[in-house]
């Protein structure tokens, strides 16, 4: 395997780094976006009871630190009794912050998926340049220099696709999971806003 990396030339190094980065981001986000972590049942089942009575500062802090869903609910519960618009704005603001955190590193993963094929193409171009340089220097009689350039071109193309395809699948999968979690949190926020007498967040 290492021989293939070496044979692919220097373009294989950024491709290798991209593959490591994509794997690390995929594993980290898959762990961080678990439903049990973002939307814990212990809070979901207590939603109506949380809205039924004022919470102490300690309870609000505990709820805020519990999970992303808890942070959104705590933002609305902290201004219980205020103008309904204030409650809605606090929930929306907390929701935007939570969504931003859920989407962490996803842009980087999408960039890797887009850049990897271009790096592979760059390696292909470099390999073909070497082929033509070898033809210019030695003609077409010696196949060894030609084979080396063609091999480098094909290896980098294949490596770029091998990095980009899984990265794109990971990106789409994780993006879909974030969208699903956001929709479910929005449903809970609407329920809370209804209980507190505020208009549902837009």
């Amino acid at each position: 395997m290492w021989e293939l990396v070496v044979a692919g030339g220097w373009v294989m190094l950024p491709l290798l780094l991209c593959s490591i980065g994509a794997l690390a981001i995929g594993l980290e986000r898959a762990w961080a976006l678990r439903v049990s972590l973002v939307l814990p049942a212990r809070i979901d089942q207590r939603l109506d009871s949380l809205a039924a009575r004022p919470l102490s500062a300690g309870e609000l802090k505990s709820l805020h630190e519990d999970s992303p869903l808890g942070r959104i609910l705590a933002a609305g519960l902290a201004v219980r009794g205020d103008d309904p618009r204030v409650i809605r704005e606090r929930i929306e603001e907390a929701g935007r912050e939570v969504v931003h955190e859920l989407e962490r590193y996803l842009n980087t993963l999408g960039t890797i998926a887009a850049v990897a094929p271009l790096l592979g193409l760059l390696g292909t171009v470099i390999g073909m340049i070497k082929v033509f340089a070898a033809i210019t220097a030695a003609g077409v009689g010696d196949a060894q220099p030609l084979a080396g350039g063609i091999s480098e071109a094909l290896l980098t193309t294949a490596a770029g696709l091998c990095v980009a395809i899984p990265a794109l699948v990971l990106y789409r999968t994780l993006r879909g999971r974030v969208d699903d979690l956001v929709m479910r949190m929005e449903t809970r926020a609407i329920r809370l806003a209804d209980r507190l007498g505020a208009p549902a967040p837009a």
Side-chain angles (χ1 to χ4, degrees), residues 42-55 59 77 80 191-192 195-196:
R42 61 181 176 274
I43 293 182
D44 197 15
Q45 295 169 355
R46 294 172 50 214
L47 180 58
D48 292 335
S49 62
L50 288 171
R53 62 178 180 83
L55 301 182
E59 289 175 316
L77 292 169
R80 176 201 301 271
R191 280 178 54 193
L192 178 67
R195 298 297 186 279
L196 297 179

Side-chain angles (χ1 to χ4, degrees), residues 12-37:
M12 296 293 279
L13 179 59
L15 284 172
L16 183 61
L17 294 176
C18 284
S19 66
I20 294 172
L23 178 61
I25 292 172
L27 291 175
E28 189 276 339
R29 286 292 86 190
W31 179 262
L33 297 176
R34 290 173 296 150
V35 174
S36 60
L37 190 65

